[in-house]
Amino acid sequence: MKKILALILALLMIPCINVFAADVQGKSDWKVEITNPATGESYDKAGVIIDGKYDNFFHSPIVENLPPLPYDIVITLPVATEINGVRYSPRATGSSDAGIWTRFDAYYTSDDSDNWVKIGTFDIAKSFDPSEVVFKEKVNAKK
């Protein structure tokens, strides 16, 4: 399985994601990668998805032949950390609800390997309001 993180996206825009973790102090040491597995294309400025600024967001390229979904997001933490969920804040600018997530799959690995474990598939109400997804069990994740 190609390196993916915790989130395989079901939609295109990713404004802000926070990982619930007991001892995560800051995000300056986090590494974020966004790729389209269908094309292998990766996207710069992926860090905006964890910067906490609601007017920053990742947007897939606006092109005539948009690469197919899903997009893979890999967030690599400096050390394995106990995580119990994610907080998703949709795009806070504009009036279109295009690109708001409604479903995603979450995976994790506790080291730098490609031994991914599926946490689950999660549905989110289509809304401009932030959503919190709490996992059934805490995971010890590096990615």
Side-chain angles (χ1 to χ4, degrees):
M1 177 189 269
K2 188 175 177 174
K3 277 193 167 184
I4 57 175
L5 145 74
L7 301 175
I8 295 182
L9 295 182
L11 290 171
L12 306 176
M13 288 180 226
I14 308 150
C16 181
I17 299 173
N18 291 315
V19 175
F20 301 166
D23 51 356
V24 172
Q25 297 299 316
K27 300 175 193 167
S28 61
D29 294 335
W30 294 18
K31 180 180 175 186
V32 181
E33 300 171 89
I34 300 175
T35 58
N36 183 314
T39 65
E41 183 178 4
S42 62
Y43 301 93
D44 60 352
K45 300 183 181 179
V48 300
I49 71 168
I50 61 166
D51 69 3
K53 299 176 182 175
Y54 295 106
D55 57 347
N56 281 349
F57 56 90
F58 164 81
H59 192 296
S60 61
I62 300 174
V63 294
E64 187 171 319
N65 295 314
L66 184 67
L69 299 173
Y71 283 73
D72 295 342
I73 301 172
V74 178
I75 300 172
T76 303
L77 305 174
V79 296
T81 304
E82 191 172 78
I83 297 171
N84 64 343
V86 295
R87 181 178 298 120
Y88 162 68
S89 297
R91 178 181 181 163
T93 60
S95 58
S96 173
D97 64 0
I100 292 178
W101 294 11
T102 56
R103 172 176 281 193
F104 69 94
D105 292 339
Y107 297 80
Y108 78 98
T109 184
S110 58
D111 52 32
D112 286 321
S113 72
D114 287 328
N115 298 322
W116 297 98
V117 177
K118 186 172 183 176
I119 299 168
T121 298
F122 301 94
D123 293 312
I124 301 173
K126 192 169 199 172
S127 169
F128 288 106
D129 297 325
S131 297
E132 291 185 357
V133 174
V134 178
F135 304 150
K136 289 182 182 179
E137 296 179 4
K138 293 179 183 179
V139 298
N140 192 37
K142 168 91 188 254
K143 296 182 179 180

